[in-house]
Amino acid sequence: MPSVRGCNLPDDLLYDVENHIWITEEGDGNIKIGMTAVATALAGELVAFTPKKVGKTIKPGKSCAIVESGKWVGPAKSVAGGEIVAVNDALVAQPSLANDDPYANWMVILKPDDWDGVKGQLTPGSEVAAPYEAKMDADGFAGCGG
């Protein structure tokens, strides 16, 4: 598993490095979307997670959820557009689960509109270390040290 400045980035996932989002294919045409370890480290302890509702359609590049911590409130953006088919109710009830394990605690499952077109814009986990290193440099982020 690649680790950049102490932030784990599993190599079996796809990444939207710019928005600190990971995506995995569910095998049924749907995709699971979550926050990276970098996102949760930058945000600090999460205090609220408000996903869009099941059945809601989102546009590419728009928010699939609002995430709130003690120092940040903002959108979790999905590079893919489509219909939300599931939300992680456990994360709604206890947002800090994402801090404990951002990869087990996904945000939403989306039925994407143009997955083949979107997939090529994402960075495979096996190639994510260099782009994330550059993003951390650009953002002045030291890393995920506890």
Side-chain angles (χ1 to χ4, degrees):
M1 171 173 0
S3 178
V4 179
R5 300 185 189 181
C7 304
N8 289 332
L9 300 162
D11 49 16
D12 59 340
L13 301 174
L14 295 166
Y15 294 90
D16 173 2
V17 174
E18 185 61 32
N19 290 306
H20 300 297
I21 295 292
W22 60 261
I23 296 175
T24 188
E25 295 176 278
E26 289 289 276
D28 58 3
N30 293 334
I31 57 171
K32 188 178 279 183
I33 302 172
M35 291 174 281
T36 65
V38 179
T40 58
L42 281 166
E45 177 140 351
L46 299 182
V47 296
F49 167 68
T50 311
K52 301 284 185 187
K53 298 200 177 337
V54 170
K56 175 105 174 117
T57 299
I58 59 170
K59 293 188 180 331
K62 296 299 181 187
S63 170
C64 64
I66 299 297
V67 180
E68 183 176 344
S69 72
K71 55 185 175 180
W72 187 80
V73 178
K77 293 182 181 175
S78 171
V79 67
E83 180 186 347
I84 294 185
V85 296
V87 299
N88 187 342
D89 291 327
L91 198 58
V92 173
Q94 191 177 350
S96 64
L97 288 172
N99 296 99
D100 298 337
D101 186 344
Y103 302 107
N105 294 290
W106 51 277
M107 296 186 298
V108 300
I109 296 177
L110 189 72
K111 181 178 183 171
D113 291 333
D114 177 25
W115 179 238
D116 290 339
V118 169
K119 189 175 176 180
Q121 302 172 39
L122 300 170
T123 305
S126 59
E127 301 167 18
V128 80
Y132 240 122
E133 187 77 42
K135 172 81 172 142
M136 289 178 182
D137 279 346
D139 292 351
F141 179 61
C144 296

